[in-house]
């Protein structure tokens, strides 16, 4: 009996080898599965819900000759304004004046860092702070996640949201709301169906996409040599302004993305060259639909005398009608619609000249 033990042991090991190959993938973590950020499971559920709702709404629209909201009101497409903030909305009164009289053409959503004490301004911002908000940090993937949450909540909230404009608390409008709406939808847009059923790229996304910035090599390897491969080759890596205006097609594309997010959420080894929020969106849209994007932003930023990676901060003594008209001028054939950054104490002089600015 004892003499047969080695044979039995060897035979048992031989039989167990196939079982090891069968069950090991279920026991051991797959090598290519990336780490999950603390908030990521909640975000994924939110993004899937938004995509599912958008898909079902699109199917119903294609199968019907009438608006899902009824033909009597003949609703027009809306602009969703996405405020990404970690401070009070100092310019709320200016935005109130900007939006006045156009309630059926816009929606507001605010992602406010819950770790910071922020006082809701009320008015048109009442009830517009999203409950899905999480802590955000500059030069980190948390800013990407915050923008994606805003997109998802806006899509879930109102099927008429067609354009999604990401703005900061230090951002101001340079034109009237009607000018902005007409510019984005290229008059005449008579109904919701005109925008949602028209072929792209009639309604492009306005996002800055730059391929020849001198800082790109250093930023590409900020997470380590070859870390971005194979998903993003250096030749595909792009940079652009954090603030954009996406159409609905591209907003849903952002929410569906998993492949590039796995790369851009990885921690940087060189934090001085790490600005994922300036690279993720331009790179993704450049790879997926470059012809559907303008490749420039509609938000003016003054990088003259920039400090520590921050652009010029306008002070009250600089504010004038002449300045705002000057900030409208761009190198493209289109006018800038918004501008940043303005200090909080610029509100008073901005309100004093707002009638002149919103007359166009």
């Amino acid at each position: 009996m004892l003499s047969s033990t080695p044979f039995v042991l060897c035979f048992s090991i031989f039989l167990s080898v196939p079982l090891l190959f069968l069950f090991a993938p279920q026991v051991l973590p797959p090598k290519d599965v990336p780490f999950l950020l603390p908030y990521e499971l909640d975000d994924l559920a939110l993004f899937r819900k938004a995509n599912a709702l958008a898909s079902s709404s699109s199917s119903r629209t294609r199968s019907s000759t009438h608006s899902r909201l009824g033909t009597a009101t003949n609703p027009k497409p809306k602009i969703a304004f996405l405020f990404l903030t970690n401070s009070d909305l100092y310019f709320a009164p200016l935005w109130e004046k900007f939006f006045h009289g156009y309630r059926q053409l816009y929606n507001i959503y605010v992602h406010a860092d819950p770790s910071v004490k922020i006082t809701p301004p009320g008015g048109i911002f009442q009830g517009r702070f999203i409950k899905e908000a999480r802590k955000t940090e500059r030069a980190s993937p948390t800013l990407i996640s915050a923008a994606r949450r805003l997109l998802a909540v806006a899509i879930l909230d109102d099927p008429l949201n067609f354009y999604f404009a990401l703005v900061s608390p230090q951002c101001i409008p340079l034109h009237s709301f009607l000018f902005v709406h007409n510019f984005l939808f290229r008059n005449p847009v008579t109904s919701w169906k005109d925008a949602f059923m028209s072929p792209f790229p009639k309604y492009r996304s306005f996002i800055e996409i730059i391929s020849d910035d001198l800082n790109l090599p250093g930023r590409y390897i900020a997470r380590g040599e070859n870390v971005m491969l194979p998903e993003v080759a250096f030749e595909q890596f792009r940079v652009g302004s954090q603030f954009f205006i996406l159409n609905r097609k591209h907003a849903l594309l952002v929410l569906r993305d998993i492949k590039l997010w796995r790369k851009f959420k990885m921690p940087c080894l060189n934090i001085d060259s790490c600005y994922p929020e300036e690279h993720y969106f331009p790179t993704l849209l450049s790879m997926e639909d470059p012809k559907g994007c303008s490749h420039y932003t509609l938000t003016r930023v003054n990088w003259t005398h920039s400090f520590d990676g921050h652009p010029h901060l306008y002070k009250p003594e600089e504010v004038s009608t002449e300045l705002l008209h000057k900030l409208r001028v761009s190198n493209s054939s289109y006018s800038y619609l918004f501008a940043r950054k303005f200090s909080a104490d610029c509100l008073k002089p901005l309100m004093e000249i707002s009638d002149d600015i919103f007359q166009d």
Side-chain angles (χ1 to χ4, degrees), residues 100-116:
H100 182 71
Y102 301 101
R103 185 63 195 89
Q104 302 306 312
L105 296 178
Y106 73 89
N107 280 306
I108 292 173
Y109 307 91
V110 183
H111 185 291
D113 188 332
S115 68
V116 179

Side-chain angles (χ1 to χ4, degrees), residues 203-261:
Y203 300 109
R204 295 186 298 170
S205 288
F206 295 90
I207 178 171
E208 188 173 48
I209 301 176
I210 300 172
S211 60
D212 58 355
D213 189 277
L214 296 178
N215 295 313
L216 280 176
R219 292 191 177 194
Y220 181 74
I221 62 171
R223 295 163 187 82
E225 294 281 351
N226 301 322
V227 168
M228 301 300 289
L229 296 173
E231 286 82 358
V232 183
F234 175 70
E235 293 74 20
Q236 299 170 302
F237 193 58
R238 300 290 184 266
V239 67
S241 169
Q242 177 188 354
F243 300 97
F244 51 67
I245 302 179
L246 300 187
N247 62 36
R248 191 176 181 88
K249 171 187 174 183
H250 291 153
L252 290 169
L253 187 155
V254 166
L255 297 183
R256 286 194 299 267
D257 173 61
I258 295 176
K259 183 175 70 173
L260 263 63
W261 168 243

